[in-house]
Structure formats: C-alpha cells, structure tokens
C-alpha cells in the first residue's frame, strides 16, 4: 500500500516525502490524538493514511 501512495505523491509533487508503515494499534493511537479526522470515499482496503503537519523546507 505504501508504494501506491508513494507513486501518487510522485505524480503530484517534487518534494521528498517519507512514508512509514505503522501497525493498527499505533494508527488508532495517532488518530485519537489527531487535530482533525477526515473521512473520504476511499474504497480500497487498508487505505488509511495519517498526515503529519510540519514546516516545509524552502526551495
């Protein structure tokens, strides 16, 4: 699944974005502590992704 998201990111940005796999319990912990949770119409299994906000480097 990570590879699919990496390919999608390559299509839409030139920035180097690192993706990491986390197990289910860690994902749920991250979601509980999230600033916002957005439900989409994603239909593939295990299509969950957590985005972490931060500072973008200058180009």
């Amino acid at each position: 699944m990570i590879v699919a998201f990496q390919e999608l990111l390559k299509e839409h940005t030139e920035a180097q974005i690192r993706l990491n796999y986390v197990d289910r319990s860690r994902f749920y912990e991250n979601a509980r502590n999230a600033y916002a949770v957005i439900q989409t119409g994603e239909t593939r299994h295990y299509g969950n992704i957590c985005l972490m906000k931060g500072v973008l480097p200058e180009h």
Side-chain angles (χ1 to χ4, degrees):
M1 184 59 62
I2 287 178
V3 174
F5 285 123
Q6 284 176 328
E7 291 300 319
L8 226 129
L9 289 168
K10 281 182 186 178
E11 290 178 24
H12 298 284
T13 183
E14 293 180 9
Q16 296 294 323
I17 299 174
R18 184 177 43 141
L19 300 178
N20 297 314
Y21 172 82
V22 295
D23 64 24
R24 181 174 55 184
S25 61
R26 178 71 184 263
F27 179 84
Y28 290 145
E29 180 182 333
N30 290 345
R32 271 193 300 278
N33 297 319
Y35 175 78
V37 175
I38 299 169
Q39 182 176 354
T40 68
E42 179 63 58
T43 58
R44 65 180 129 186
H45 294 287
Y46 310 109
N48 302 321
I49 189 168
C50 284
L51 303 174
M52 297 179 70
K53 67 181 181 176
V55 178
L56 297 176
E58 291 186 28
H59 293 10

